[in-house]
Amino acid sequence: MAAFLPLLFGLLQQPAAPQDLVLTPSSVTIPSTVEQWGLSEGLPQAQVNAIVADALGQLWIGTHGGLATFDGHELRAYEGQDATRLASFRITALCHDRQGVLWIGSESEGLGRLLEGRYEPVELALPNGRKLKAVMDVREADDGSVWVAHANGVAQVSAQGALMQSYDDLGQTLATASGQDGSVWIAGE
């Protein structure tokens, strides 16, 4: 699972556009140098669980000790308005949507969004009465909604943060993917 990926940056010598960060079979090359960035370089905690690039090519990194950013040159713990609150989160999933919103999934805090530097929890009441906790994956769909894989199933959430549909009692779901035909694939235990 992605929770144990080491934080390696060898291809990011300069800030890159998001399309440049996508690996396709024809674009994969072996880097001549690999640099490892960790606690001594500014990572807030050693376990990296999620990583996503925004539209400007900046990386957002989710750890068990909060959020960090990497601009291709400097790795820093997130310093925005809600940095102290986010530092207590065990972040497990990140998704940067086409509207520029950073969706944050966490182990105990559920789902939230970073809008213009301010954290906003997304309070979802699932049909079974449970609260959304233990978010494992957040993925944007073609229609701008996001699919959230969590401890009890999967939920579709509108771009505004409202529950659209929920499939509960699937067991722990770990990841989602969108098919070219608009279908959603769900991986779980």
Side-chain angles (χ1 to χ4, degrees), residues 8-72:
L8 298 176
F9 299 104
L11 301 174
L12 298 174
Q13 299 301 319
Q14 301 175 26
Q19 65 271 15
D20 296 335
L21 298 176
V22 175
L23 298 178
T24 60
S26 63
S27 71
V28 177
T29 59
I30 304 298
S32 59
T33 62
V34 174
E35 293 182 40
Q36 183 170 344
W37 296 64
L39 296 173
S40 60
E41 290 80 24
L43 196 63
Q45 201 269 344
Q47 186 168 340
V48 173
N49 300 308
I51 188 167
V52 67
D54 66 19
L56 299 175
Q58 176 173 268
L59 295 179
W60 294 84
I61 304 154
T63 73
H64 275 190
L67 192 60
T69 59
F70 182 72
D71 64 5

Side-chain angles (χ1 to χ4, degrees), residues 97-99 103 140-146 157-160 164:
D97 73 16
R98 63 187 75 144
Q99 294 179 357
W103 294 82
E140 185 178 23
D142 290 339
D143 65 2
S145 65
V146 293
V157 179
S158 72
Q160 295 74 35
M164 296 172 64

